[in-house]
Amino acid sequence: MRQAGPWPLLLAGSLAGRHGDNSEISSDILAPLADLIGLPLTVHLLPDLASGVATGDVVQSRLFNKFRRADGLRWVRHADEGGIRVICLKGLATAHLYYDEADLRTMSDADLLVSAADRDRLVAHFQAAGLESLCHCFDLDSVEVSLVAIDWS
């Protein structure tokens, strides 16, 4: 298992001056961190500090992450089956590289890079398969590509 990085030490050190005993850090401190990086990753990185977090909430959040990642990959495969080349960006592309377990990465969307020439065809292809209002496009004209974001939030 990879090391959790500096986060436990940095957070514990920054909280030590305010809280003396880190095992009693209140949820008002952990909640903003969990909002930023997700509950599963917070508990994974800071298991001693997050001991009061309900296990069921962590399991449910990881399960949502797993479903969202699988759904994003399903849309990537669907694009490939339609002959449209896309490049996965951000979490969908890197969750398995930078996290001990891919499901620790909170997934709220799937960001896909597609050539500007294929953007409309990709959107039509996704809409024909049932993806309606959740697809947002952002043209990056200077490099002739578009970012297509499939949003689950």
Side-chain angles (χ1 to χ4, degrees):
M1 180 152 102
R2 285 177 279 198
Q3 292 188 358
W7 304 114
L9 295 175
L10 291 173
L11 184 62
S14 69
L15 296 175
R18 293 188 282 171
H19 290 281
D21 181 7
N22 286 336
S23 65
E24 296 180 15
I25 292 175
S26 65
S27 61
D28 65 319
I29 302 276
L30 288 177
L33 181 62
D35 287 345
L36 179 66
I37 66 172
L39 184 59
L41 187 57
T42 299
V43 171
H44 179 75
L45 292 176
L46 306 168
D48 296 335
L49 302 179
S51 61
V53 175
T55 304
D57 292 343
V58 175
V59 170
Q60 182 179 6
S61 185
R62 286 184 72 162
L63 189 57
F64 279 138
N65 294 344
K66 178 177 255 175
F67 285 144
R68 288 174 173 161
R69 190 170 43 82
D71 196 40
L73 293 173
R74 180 176 62 91
W75 287 109
V76 169
R77 281 191 301 276
H78 188 68
D80 185 58
E81 291 165 0
I84 304 167
R85 292 180 48 171
V86 298
I87 297 172
C88 299
L89 301 175
K90 295 173 30 184
L92 194 59
T94 63
H96 64 285
L97 295 172
Y98 296 112
Y99 295 86
D100 291 337
E101 300 170 38
D103 301 330
L104 292 171
R105 170 65 157 82
T106 298
M107 300 287 294
S108 62
D109 64 1
D111 297 308
L112 307 175
L113 198 63
V114 63
S115 72
D118 286 337
R119 186 200 73 173
D120 292 338
R121 189 164 66 104
L122 177 66
V123 171
H125 188 65
F126 282 172
Q127 288 174 339
L131 187 65
E132 295 290 334
S133 61
L134 300 177
C135 192
H136 307 284
C137 297
F138 306 94
D139 291 330
L140 309 173
D141 294 329
S142 61
V143 288
E144 297 184 6
V145 296
S146 294
L147 173 65
V148 176
I150 302 170
D151 191 4
W152 293 292
S153 54

